[in-house]
Amino acid sequence: MAPHHVLKCCQRSLAWIPVIFINLVVGWSYYAYVVELCIFTIPNNAEKISYLVVFHLFFIMFIWSYWKTICSRPASPSKEFCLAKVEKEQYEKEQPDAQQDILKKAAVGLPVYTRTGTGAVRYCDHCQVIKPDRCHHCSTCDMCVLKMDHHCPWVNNCVGFSNYKFFVLFLAYSMLYCVFIAATVLQYFIKFWTNQLPDTHAKFHVLFLFFVAAMFFISILSLFSYHLWLVGKNRTTIEAFRAPVFRNGPDKNGFSLGFSRNVVEVFGDQKKYWMFPIYTSHGDGHSFVTRLLTLDPEQIAVGLQINGKSSVDGLASPKHILGNNINHIEGHQDDVAQTVTVTMESES
């Protein structure tokens, strides 16, 4: 057992190497820009002060969002998604087919609408929980993560429901940080390169700073653009590669509510907080509003019995079906109800 624990400890220590590398690069860039460029190279005080003010604004927002992404612990499923002790003991004794029957009964009262590719209830044998929609097990973090997007080595953390907004802002501010450095350093880069400025110790820092900032900007731009596209489509990276499977089949747009509401789900209702790494995302990570055409007919029937209703029309659906986010779309009920109708079909 001891070697296993030692190996785990070494893996966790080595996982911080990319984070340390990023912080060393950022620390050097701060010194190179503030000291070598602004203090020792730029002669004009007005230009120097304006550069320093804008630089520190981007620097603070970048560091803030970066460490919020690192320090936000991934959210995991709550206890209600765990099997009861009796069900767990029975589950461990049964064959796969009988195990699915147990999981189906346990999932009836839960807001779970996605399935495996074979139509089975998604269950994590390692964590011993019924997986909520959009939840996946991360082998690196050794846990199930709500609305998991991916595991990012550069932050040594899983990007998911608890920190996805922070991750997008981290990409945005790191891109702005790099492009600002590259744009303001360019003229002095040219002057050093063409020997218009004396060959001092600042030359190396200024030349290298431009190349590093431009290189990081190009690489981050593509990643940031991709995640903006994901936000607009209300998809995770995992869902972009493999569409979520409902009982009616795969639906890559199963969680999409329209561009504006997709953005609000990640960034929140109040636009004044969108640009700050403060948690404002909607929901609890366990249940998500889905397009009604992909809902499980059996779950709809259960929801109707619970709420004592006999029909579903447009968005007049029980809260059990739409989860905790139903109030996000009640204001749009009339508009959507004109175009969306749910047809109840029994399984053959």
Side-chain angles (χ1 to χ4, degrees):
M1 295 298 292
H4 176 73
H5 290 301
V6 171
L7 180 62
K8 277 286 185 183
C9 184
C10 291
Q11 288 177 339
R12 290 174 181 173
S13 300
L14 291 174
W16 285 101
I17 291 178
V19 176
I20 294 172
F21 171 75
I22 291 295
N23 280 274
L24 288 175
V25 172
V26 173
W28 166 78
S29 70
Y30 183 89
Y31 166 79
Y33 192 89
V34 174
V35 178
E36 298 294 346
L37 177 69
C38 291
I39 295 179
F40 292 144
T41 304
I42 299 177
N44 187 290
N45 287 332
E47 181 183 6
K48 183 184 303 184
I49 293 173
S50 62
Y51 281 5
L52 286 173
V53 169
V54 178
F55 171 83
H56 280 92
L57 177 63
F58 288 144
F59 178 79
I60 291 171
M61 297 304 294
F62 163 60
I63 293 297
W64 186 9
S65 57
Y66 180 55
W67 280 98
K68 284 285 285 187
T69 308
I70 293 173
C71 297
S72 297
R73 179 174 173 76
S76 57
S78 62
K79 293 182 179 179
E80 66 177 318
F81 288 86
C82 298
L83 295 179
K85 185 177 180 181
V86 176
E87 293 174 328
K88 189 182 296 183
E89 291 175 352
Q90 186 181 0
Y91 175 85
E92 293 172 351
K93 296 176 182 177
E94 298 292 347
Q95 296 300 315
D97 291 340
Q99 287 179 336
Q100 269 302 302
D101 292 335
I102 296 172
L103 294 178
K104 286 180 180 179
K105 291 178 181 178
V108 166
L110 297 174
V112 177
Y113 309 113
T114 55
R115 300 289 188 265
T116 65
T118 58
V121 175
R122 302 191 317 128
Y123 182 76
C124 180
D125 290 305
H126 187 80
C127 298
Q128 296 185 324
V129 295
I130 295 174
K131 293 180 181 179
D133 293 344
R134 318 182 83 174
C135 174
H136 298 274
H137 184 85
C138 176
S139 57
T140 306
C141 294
D142 196 27
M143 63 184 292
C144 283
V145 179
L146 297 180
K147 196 185 177 184
M148 180 178 173
D149 188 89
H150 69 288
H151 184 90
C152 180
W154 299 108
V155 299
N156 190 28
N157 199 2
C158 247
V159 177
F161 178 77
S162 64
N163 62 356
Y164 188 63
K165 176 189 174 183
F166 306 149
F167 177 74
V168 174
L169 289 179
F170 153 60
L171 294 179
Y173 286 120
S174 59
M175 186 180 66
L176 291 173
Y177 179 75
C178 290
V179 73
F180 176 78
I181 289 177
T184 53
V185 167
L186 179 59
Q187 61 172 314
Y188 297 98
F189 169 84
I190 295 173
K191 289 180 179 179
F192 273 120
W193 192 265
T194 56
N195 297 318
Q196 296 179 39
L197 288 175
D199 193 0
T200 63
H201 61 280
K203 180 177 181 178
F204 164 79
H205 292 282
V206 171
L207 295 178
F208 197 56
L209 185 61
F210 175 79
F211 281 119
V212 171
M215 179 185 66
F216 273 92
F217 168 72
I218 293 171
S219 60
I220 295 171
L221 177 61
S222 58
L223 184 60
F224 177 65
S225 301
Y226 176 67
H227 278 279
L228 282 185
W229 179 80
L230 289 178
V231 170
K233 295 291 186 180
N234 202 347
R235 298 177 196 168
T236 63
T237 299
I238 294 174
E239 292 165 353
F241 285 96
R242 185 174 65 249
V245 179
F246 298 83
R247 287 184 62 88
N248 295 341
D251 187 349
K252 63 181 180 180
N253 295 316
F255 295 106
S256 181
L257 306 173
F259 178 79
S260 60
R261 280 176 281 168
N262 292 343
V263 172
V264 166
E265 188 168 293
V266 174
F267 289 93
D269 293 310
Q270 301 186 51
K271 294 183 179 180
K272 62 182 179 180
Y273 296 122
W274 282 10
M275 305 308 294
F276 298 96
I278 301 171
Y279 183 81
T280 55
S281 301
H282 277 175
D284 59 3
H286 293 88
S287 58
F288 298 89
V289 181
T290 63
R291 297 195 311 151
L292 293 182
L293 295 178
T294 63
L295 289 181
D296 181 350
E298 292 182 4
Q299 292 281 21
I300 293 179
V302 172
L304 294 177
Q305 292 173 6
I306 292 174
N307 289 271
K309 296 182 180 180
S310 58
S311 65
V312 177
D313 183 20
L315 290 181
S317 305
K319 287 191 178 182
H320 178 74
I321 297 301
L322 296 180
N324 295 332
N325 291 328
I326 187 171
N327 54 355
H328 299 168
I329 60 173
E330 284 177 336
H332 304 270
Q333 176 173 341
D334 296 335
D335 295 335
V336 182
Q338 295 174 4
T339 58
V340 178
T341 301
V342 175
T343 302
M344 302 295 291
E345 298 178 358
S346 59
E347 290 184 295
S348 57

